[in-house]
mmCIF file with all atom_site columns, all heavy atoms in Angstrom:
data_model
loop_
_atom_site.group_PDB
_atom_site.id
_atom_site.type_symbol
_atom_site.label_atom_id
_atom_site.label_alt_id
_atom_site.label_comp_id
_atom_site.label_asym_id
_atom_site.label_entity_id
_atom_site.label_seq_id
_atom_site.pdbx_PDB_ins_code
_atom_site.Cartn_x
_atom_site.Cartn_y
_atom_site.Cartn_z
_atom_site.occupancy
_atom_site.B_iso_or_equiv
_atom_site.pdbx_formal_charge
_atom_site.auth_seq_id
_atom_site.auth_comp_id
_atom_site.auth_asym_id
_atom_site.auth_atom_id
_atom_site.pdbx_PDB_model_num
ATOM 1   N N   . GLY A 1 18  ? 192.246 183.207 150.719 1.00 98.00 ? 18  GLY A N   1
ATOM 2   C CA  . GLY A 1 18  ? 191.175 184.222 150.889 1.00 98.00 ? 18  GLY A CA  1
ATOM 3   C C   . GLY A 1 18  ? 191.672 185.194 152.110 1.00 98.00 ? 18  GLY A C   1
ATOM 4   O O   . GLY A 1 18  ? 192.389 184.789 152.952 1.00 98.00 ? 18  GLY A O   1
ATOM 5   N N   . ALA A 1 77  ? 188.306 201.293 156.103 1.00 98.00 ? 77  ALA A N   1
ATOM 6   C CA  . ALA A 1 77  ? 188.717 200.993 154.750 1.00 98.00 ? 77  ALA A CA  1
ATOM 7   C C   . ALA A 1 77  ? 189.664 202.021 154.252 1.00 98.00 ? 77  ALA A C   1
ATOM 8   O O   . ALA A 1 77  ? 190.654 201.733 153.481 1.00 98.00 ? 77  ALA A O   1
ATOM 9   C CB  . ALA A 1 77  ? 187.465 200.728 153.811 1.00 98.00 ? 77  ALA A CB  1
ATOM 10  N N   . VAL A 1 91  ? 200.194 193.670 145.983 1.00 98.00 ? 91  VAL A N   1
ATOM 11  C CA  . VAL A 1 91  ? 198.971 193.113 145.518 1.00 98.00 ? 91  VAL A CA  1
ATOM 12  C C   . VAL A 1 91  ? 197.849 193.356 146.550 1.00 98.00 ? 91  VAL A C   1
ATOM 13  O O   . VAL A 1 91  ? 197.988 193.148 147.694 1.00 98.00 ? 91  VAL A O   1
ATOM 14  C CB  . VAL A 1 91  ? 199.046 191.650 145.419 1.00 98.00 ? 91  VAL A CB  1
ATOM 15  C CG1 . VAL A 1 91  ? 197.758 191.110 144.695 1.00 98.00 ? 91  VAL A CG1 1
ATOM 16  C CG2 . VAL A 1 91  ? 200.206 191.068 144.758 1.00 98.00 ? 91  VAL A CG2 1
ATOM 17  N N   . LYS A 1 107 ? 197.057 202.124 141.677 1.00 98.00 ? 107 LYS A N   1
ATOM 18  C CA  . LYS A 1 107 ? 197.806 201.925 140.429 1.00 98.00 ? 107 LYS A CA  1
ATOM 19  C C   . LYS A 1 107 ? 199.011 202.781 140.349 1.00 98.00 ? 107 LYS A C   1
ATOM 20  O O   . LYS A 1 107 ? 200.070 202.316 139.874 1.00 98.00 ? 107 LYS A O   1
ATOM 21  C CB  . LYS A 1 107 ? 196.860 202.319 139.130 1.00 98.00 ? 107 LYS A CB  1
ATOM 22  C CG  . LYS A 1 107 ? 195.583 201.449 139.103 1.00 98.00 ? 107 LYS A CG  1
ATOM 23  C CD  . LYS A 1 107 ? 195.779 199.970 138.776 1.00 98.00 ? 107 LYS A CD  1
ATOM 24  C CE  . LYS A 1 107 ? 196.456 199.801 137.405 1.00 98.00 ? 107 LYS A CE  1
ATOM 25  N NZ  . LYS A 1 107 ? 196.698 198.359 137.201 1.00 98.00 ? 107 LYS A NZ  1
ATOM 26  N N   . SER A 1 119 ? 179.479 189.508 140.388 1.00 98.00 ? 119 SER A N   1
ATOM 27  C CA  . SER A 1 119 ? 178.639 189.739 139.220 1.00 98.00 ? 119 SER A CA  1
ATOM 28  C C   . SER A 1 119 ? 179.507 190.059 138.021 1.00 98.00 ? 119 SER A C   1
ATOM 29  O O   . SER A 1 119 ? 180.605 190.671 138.176 1.00 98.00 ? 119 SER A O   1
ATOM 30  C CB  . SER A 1 119 ? 177.606 190.901 139.446 1.00 98.00 ? 119 SER A CB  1
ATOM 31  O OG  . SER A 1 119 ? 178.271 192.137 139.478 1.00 98.00 ? 119 SER A OG  1
ATOM 32  N N   . ALA A 1 121 ? 178.607 192.439 135.919 1.00 98.00 ? 121 ALA A N   1
ATOM 33  C CA  . ALA A 1 121 ? 178.567 193.965 135.784 1.00 98.00 ? 121 ALA A CA  1
ATOM 34  C C   . ALA A 1 121 ? 179.745 194.544 136.578 1.00 98.00 ? 121 ALA A C   1
ATOM 35  O O   . ALA A 1 121 ? 180.481 195.413 135.949 1.00 98.00 ? 121 ALA A O   1
ATOM 36  C CB  . ALA A 1 121 ? 177.249 194.488 136.243 1.00 98.00 ? 121 ALA A CB  1
ATOM 37  N N   . GLU A 1 127 ? 187.441 196.219 135.302 1.00 98.00 ? 127 GLU A N   1
ATOM 38  C CA  . GLU A 1 127 ? 188.284 196.086 134.125 1.00 98.00 ? 127 GLU A CA  1
ATOM 39  C C   . GLU A 1 127 ? 188.494 197.461 133.567 1.00 98.00 ? 127 GLU A C   1
ATOM 40  O O   . GLU A 1 127 ? 189.679 197.989 133.349 1.00 98.00 ? 127 GLU A O   1
ATOM 41  C CB  . GLU A 1 127 ? 187.808 195.146 133.122 1.00 98.00 ? 127 GLU A CB  1
ATOM 42  C CG  . GLU A 1 127 ? 188.773 195.082 131.891 1.00 98.00 ? 127 GLU A CG  1
ATOM 43  C CD  . GLU A 1 127 ? 188.364 193.967 130.919 1.00 98.00 ? 127 GLU A CD  1
ATOM 44  O OE1 . GLU A 1 127 ? 187.154 194.036 130.453 1.00 98.00 ? 127 GLU A OE1 1
ATOM 45  O OE2 . GLU A 1 127 ? 189.177 193.106 130.486 1.00 98.00 ? 127 GLU A OE2 1
ATOM 46  N N   . MET A 1 151 ? 180.014 177.887 139.541 1.00 98.00 ? 151 MET A N   1
ATOM 47  C CA  . MET A 1 151 ? 179.866 177.195 138.294 1.00 98.00 ? 151 MET A CA  1
ATOM 48  C C   . MET A 1 151 ? 179.254 178.184 137.232 1.00 98.00 ? 151 MET A C   1
ATOM 49  O O   . MET A 1 151 ? 179.577 178.009 136.053 1.00 98.00 ? 151 MET A O   1
ATOM 50  C CB  . MET A 1 151 ? 178.978 175.940 138.363 1.00 98.00 ? 151 MET A CB  1
ATOM 51  C CG  . MET A 1 151 ? 178.646 175.132 137.245 1.00 98.00 ? 151 MET A CG  1
ATOM 52  S SD  . MET A 1 151 ? 180.228 174.205 136.788 1.00 98.00 ? 151 MET A SD  1
ATOM 53  C CE  . MET A 1 151 ? 179.627 172.594 137.089 1.00 98.00 ? 151 MET A CE  1
ATOM 54  N N   . THR A 1 152 ? 178.359 178.964 137.642 1.00 98.00 ? 152 THR A N   1
ATOM 55  C CA  . THR A 1 152 ? 177.652 179.837 136.702 1.00 98.00 ? 152 THR A CA  1
ATOM 56  C C   . THR A 1 152 ? 178.398 181.233 136.517 1.00 98.00 ? 152 THR A C   1
ATOM 57  O O   . THR A 1 152 ? 178.449 181.693 135.352 1.00 98.00 ? 152 THR A O   1
ATOM 58  C CB  . THR A 1 152 ? 176.158 180.193 137.011 1.00 98.00 ? 152 THR A CB  1
ATOM 59  O OG1 . THR A 1 152 ? 176.150 180.840 138.331 1.00 98.00 ? 152 THR A OG1 1
ATOM 60  C CG2 . THR A 1 152 ? 175.367 178.885 137.080 1.00 98.00 ? 152 THR A CG2 1
ATOM 61  N N   . VAL A 1 154 ? 181.765 182.020 137.092 1.00 99.00 ? 154 VAL A N   1
ATOM 62  C CA  . VAL A 1 154 ? 183.130 182.034 136.503 1.00 99.00 ? 154 VAL A CA  1
ATOM 63  C C   . VAL A 1 154 ? 183.187 182.201 134.946 1.00 99.00 ? 154 VAL A C   1
ATOM 64  O O   . VAL A 1 154 ? 183.765 183.048 134.450 1.00 99.00 ? 154 VAL A O   1
ATOM 65  C CB  . VAL A 1 154 ? 184.021 180.961 137.156 1.00 99.00 ? 154 VAL A CB  1
ATOM 66  C CG1 . VAL A 1 154 ? 185.308 180.858 136.394 1.00 99.00 ? 154 VAL A CG1 1
ATOM 67  C CG2 . VAL A 1 154 ? 184.232 181.151 138.557 1.00 99.00 ? 154 VAL A CG2 1
ATOM 68  N N   . GLY A 1 176 ? 188.611 170.516 142.389 1.00 98.00 ? 176 GLY A N   1
ATOM 69  C CA  . GLY A 1 176 ? 187.923 171.887 142.335 1.00 98.00 ? 176 GLY A CA  1
ATOM 70  C C   . GLY A 1 176 ? 188.815 172.845 141.494 1.00 98.00 ? 176 GLY A C   1
ATOM 71  O O   . GLY A 1 176 ? 188.302 173.682 140.795 1.00 98.00 ? 176 GLY A O   1
ATOM 72  N N   . ASP A 1 217 ? 175.737 171.224 156.462 1.00 98.00 ? 217 ASP A N   1
ATOM 73  C CA  . ASP A 1 217 ? 175.810 171.948 157.655 1.00 98.00 ? 217 ASP A CA  1
ATOM 74  C C   . ASP A 1 217 ? 175.983 173.480 157.479 1.00 98.00 ? 217 ASP A C   1
ATOM 75  O O   . ASP A 1 217 ? 176.144 174.244 158.432 1.00 98.00 ? 217 ASP A O   1
ATOM 76  C CB  . ASP A 1 217 ? 177.064 171.559 158.406 1.00 98.00 ? 217 ASP A CB  1
ATOM 77  C CG  . ASP A 1 217 ? 176.819 170.265 159.112 1.00 98.00 ? 217 ASP A CG  1
ATOM 78  O OD1 . ASP A 1 217 ? 175.647 169.749 159.083 1.00 98.00 ? 217 ASP A OD1 1
ATOM 79  O OD2 . ASP A 1 217 ? 177.750 169.731 159.700 1.00 98.00 ? 217 ASP A OD2 1
ATOM 80  N N   . LEU A 1 232 ? 178.619 177.955 159.362 1.00 98.00 ? 232 LEU A N   1
ATOM 81  C CA  . LEU A 1 232 ? 178.117 176.749 159.775 1.00 98.00 ? 232 LEU A CA  1
ATOM 82  C C   . LEU A 1 232 ? 177.018 176.861 160.767 1.00 98.00 ? 232 LEU A C   1
ATOM 83  O O   . LEU A 1 232 ? 177.040 177.712 161.670 1.00 98.00 ? 232 LEU A O   1
ATOM 84  C CB  . LEU A 1 232 ? 179.343 175.841 160.249 1.00 98.00 ? 232 LEU A CB  1
ATOM 85  C CG  . LEU A 1 232 ? 180.369 175.502 159.296 1.00 98.00 ? 232 LEU A CG  1
ATOM 86  C CD1 . LEU A 1 232 ? 181.560 174.907 159.783 1.00 98.00 ? 232 LEU A CD1 1
ATOM 87  C CD2 . LEU A 1 232 ? 179.755 174.634 158.105 1.00 98.00 ? 232 LEU A CD2 1
ATOM 88  N N   . ARG A 1 238 ? 170.556 179.267 164.244 1.00 97.00 ? 238 ARG A N   1
ATOM 89  C CA  . ARG A 1 238 ? 169.166 178.950 164.438 1.00 97.00 ? 238 ARG A CA  1
ATOM 90  C C   . ARG A 1 238 ? 168.295 180.011 165.047 1.00 97.00 ? 238 ARG A C   1
ATOM 91  O O   . ARG A 1 238 ? 167.292 180.340 164.563 1.00 97.00 ? 238 ARG A O   1
ATOM 92  C CB  . ARG A 1 238 ? 169.132 177.732 165.369 1.00 97.00 ? 238 ARG A CB  1
ATOM 93  C CG  . ARG A 1 238 ? 169.278 176.379 164.692 1.00 97.00 ? 238 ARG A CG  1
ATOM 94  C CD  . ARG A 1 238 ? 168.982 175.152 165.477 1.00 97.00 ? 238 ARG A CD  1
ATOM 95  N NE  . ARG A 1 238 ? 169.951 174.948 166.546 1.00 97.00 ? 238 ARG A NE  1
ATOM 96  C CZ  . ARG A 1 238 ? 171.065 174.289 166.317 1.00 97.00 ? 238 ARG A CZ  1
ATOM 97  N NH1 . ARG A 1 238 ? 171.411 173.888 165.145 1.00 97.00 ? 238 ARG A NH1 1
ATOM 98  N NH2 . ARG A 1 238 ? 171.942 174.181 167.427 1.00 97.00 ? 238 ARG A NH2 1
ATOM 99  N N   . ALA A 1 260 ? 180.645 188.369 167.019 1.00 95.00 ? 260 ALA A N   1
ATOM 100 C CA  . ALA A 1 260 ? 180.400 186.847 167.096 1.00 95.00 ? 260 ALA A CA  1
ATOM 101 C C   . ALA A 1 260 ? 181.444 186.160 166.319 1.00 95.00 ? 260 ALA A C   1
ATOM 102 O O   . ALA A 1 260 ? 181.782 184.919 166.624 1.00 95.00 ? 260 ALA A O   1
ATOM 103 C CB  . ALA A 1 260 ? 179.084 186.553 166.493 1.00 95.00 ? 260 ALA A CB  1
ATOM 104 N N   . THR A 1 274 ? 179.995 183.144 165.356 1.00 97.00 ? 274 THR A N   1
ATOM 105 C CA  . THR A 1 274 ? 179.743 182.961 163.886 1.00 97.00 ? 274 THR A CA  1
ATOM 106 C C   . THR A 1 274 ? 180.921 182.136 163.296 1.00 97.00 ? 274 THR A C   1
ATOM 107 O O   . THR A 1 274 ? 181.964 182.597 163.303 1.00 97.00 ? 274 THR A O   1
ATOM 108 C CB  . THR A 1 274 ? 179.674 184.274 163.147 1.00 97.00 ? 274 THR A CB  1
ATOM 109 O OG1 . THR A 1 274 ? 178.619 185.042 163.758 1.00 97.00 ? 274 THR A OG1 1
ATOM 110 C CG2 . THR A 1 274 ? 179.329 184.070 161.722 1.00 97.00 ? 274 THR A CG2 1
ATOM 111 N N   . GLU A 1 287 ? 193.921 168.368 159.069 1.00 97.00 ? 287 GLU A N   1
ATOM 112 C CA  . GLU A 1 287 ? 194.711 169.577 159.382 1.00 97.00 ? 287 GLU A CA  1
ATOM 113 C C   . GLU A 1 287 ? 196.034 169.216 158.735 1.00 97.00 ? 287 GLU A C   1
ATOM 114 O O   . GLU A 1 287 ? 196.716 168.220 159.069 1.00 97.00 ? 287 GLU A O   1
ATOM 115 C CB  . GLU A 1 287 ? 194.814 169.779 160.785 1.00 97.00 ? 287 GLU A CB  1
ATOM 116 C CG  . GLU A 1 287 ? 195.542 171.066 161.211 1.00 97.00 ? 287 GLU A CG  1
ATOM 117 C CD  . GLU A 1 287 ? 195.326 171.264 162.778 1.00 97.00 ? 287 GLU A CD  1
ATOM 118 O OE1 . GLU A 1 287 ? 194.651 170.747 163.457 1.00 97.00 ? 287 GLU A OE1 1
ATOM 119 O OE2 . GLU A 1 287 ? 196.215 172.290 163.268 1.00 97.00 ? 287 GLU A OE2 1
ATOM 120 N N   . GLN A 1 288 ? 196.631 170.131 157.884 1.00 98.00 ? 288 GLN A N   1
ATOM 121 C CA  . GLN A 1 288 ? 197.917 169.892 157.257 1.00 98.00 ? 288 GLN A CA  1
ATOM 122 C C   . GLN A 1 288 ? 198.685 171.297 157.226 1.00 98.00 ? 288 GLN A C   1
ATOM 123 O O   . GLN A 1 288 ? 197.957 172.254 157.422 1.00 98.00 ? 288 GLN A O   1
ATOM 124 C CB  . GLN A 1 288 ? 197.807 169.472 155.846 1.00 98.00 ? 288 GLN A CB  1
ATOM 125 C CG  . GLN A 1 288 ? 197.081 168.107 155.557 1.00 98.00 ? 288 GLN A CG  1
ATOM 126 C CD  . GLN A 1 288 ? 196.802 167.984 154.106 1.00 98.00 ? 288 GLN A CD  1
ATOM 127 O OE1 . GLN A 1 288 ? 195.981 168.706 153.569 1.00 98.00 ? 288 GLN A OE1 1
ATOM 128 N NE2 . GLN A 1 288 ? 197.348 167.014 153.434 1.00 98.00 ? 288 GLN A NE2 1
ATOM 129 N N   . MET A 1 297 ? 197.037 169.473 146.562 1.00 98.00 ? 297 MET A N   1
ATOM 130 C CA  . MET A 1 297 ? 196.019 170.032 145.599 1.00 98.00 ? 297 MET A CA  1
ATOM 131 C C   . MET A 1 297 ? 196.562 170.234 144.184 1.00 98.00 ? 297 MET A C   1
ATOM 132 O O   . MET A 1 297 ? 195.884 169.769 143.269 1.00 98.00 ? 297 MET A O   1
ATOM 133 C CB  . MET A 1 297 ? 195.455 171.401 146.073 1.00 98.00 ? 297 MET A CB  1
ATOM 134 C CG  . MET A 1 297 ? 194.605 171.222 147.387 1.00 98.00 ? 297 MET A CG  1
ATOM 135 S SD  . MET A 1 297 ? 193.680 172.739 147.676 1.00 98.00 ? 297 MET A SD  1
ATOM 136 C CE  . MET A 1 297 ? 194.943 173.794 148.349 1.00 98.00 ? 297 MET A CE  1
#
Side-chain angles (χ1 to χ4, degrees):
V91 191
K107 301 293 296 177
S119 71
E127 180 176 51
M151 181 74 109
T152 59
V154 171
D217 282 355
L232 292 174
R238 274 190 291 278
T274 305
E287 188 175 346
Q288 296 167 296
M297 288 191 285

